[in-house]
Amino acid sequence: MPLYAGMTVNERLVISGQMAEWDGAVAKRDRARMIEILMATELTAEQAASTTDTTLGNPEKYGYPPAKG
């Protein structure tokens, strides 16, 4: 059974110790780094890209500052 099976993305980030890294990547809007971090928590490339794009599409919904226009 995979280490992160059944966990939410936030749970995966906390358990893997990558929450601060994720927050930093989101703040920088570093899509490639965000995907890399998520894939390290056993998300597929497609899942990681989808989660990243969803987060970047509406950062305020997930507790991040709005994108600079």
Side-chain angles (χ1 to χ4, degrees):
M1 176 182 255
L3 177 62
Y4 302 104
M7 291 186 188
T8 67
V9 170
N10 280 345
E11 289 169 335
R12 290 169 184 246
L13 291 168
V14 169
I15 296 298
S16 68
Q18 296 192 79
M19 184 57 89
E21 187 73 22
W22 169 258
D23 287 343
V26 174
K28 293 177 185 174
R29 305 302 195 255
D30 186 343
R31 183 178 186 272
R33 182 67 183 131
M34 291 168 69
I35 291 170
E36 181 181 321
I37 292 165
L38 292 176
M39 288 180 64
T41 67
E42 299 178 357
L43 290 181
T44 66
E46 294 79 18
Q47 291 168 324
S50 177
T51 300
T52 294
D53 292 341
T54 298
T55 303
L56 292 176
N58 190 359
E60 292 170 297
K61 179 178 179 179
Y62 303 99
Y64 297 100
K68 295 179 182 176

